């Protein structure tokens, strides 16, 4: 897709992220949107992309909740563990 389509799809993904954040939690929502966008924008190594798209939100979640004591939406999928 062209530049305008990429921008519109990225905006749509960010809107989807905002809608998924509360029901799914920070880590699953971040993974779904980041992984989907990385595939859409041309990520070729799926395993590396999945690892990065999972590892970065987990690290951010742990830093914010454990170190900075800032509340982020917990994951509904893992019983609030992450």
């Amino acid at each position: 897709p062209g530049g305008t389509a990429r921008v519109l799809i990225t905006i749509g993904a960010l809107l989807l992220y905002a809608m998924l954040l509360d029901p799914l939690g920070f880590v699953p929502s971040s993974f779904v949107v980041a992984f989907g966008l990385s595939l859409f924008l041309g990520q070729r190594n799926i395993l590396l992309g999945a690892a990065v798209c999972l590892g970065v939100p987990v690290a951010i979640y742990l830093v914010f909740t454990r170190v900075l004591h800032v509340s982020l939406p917990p994951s509904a999928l893992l019983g609030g563990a992450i």
Side-chain angles (χ1 to χ4, degrees):
T4 303
R6 286 179 180 240
V7 169
L8 293 175
I9 290 172
T10 301
I11 290 170
L14 293 175
L15 292 173
L16 175 67
Y17 179 68
M19 291 187 303
L20 292 176
L21 197 56
D22 193 37
L24 293 183
F26 177 76
V27 173
S29 299
S30 299
F31 172 78
V32 167
V33 172
F35 189 65
L37 275 176
S38 70
L39 291 177
F40 172 71
L41 295 173
Q43 170 64 284
R44 294 179 190 259
N45 189 335
I46 293 175
L47 291 177
L48 177 62
V52 169
C53 291
L54 182 62
V56 170
V58 168
I60 290 171
Y61 184 84
L62 292 175
V63 167
F64 272 78
T65 58
R66 305 283 164 85
V67 178
L68 300 175
H69 304 288
V70 174
S71 178
L72 293 176
S75 170
L77 302 175
L78 300 174
I82 277 190

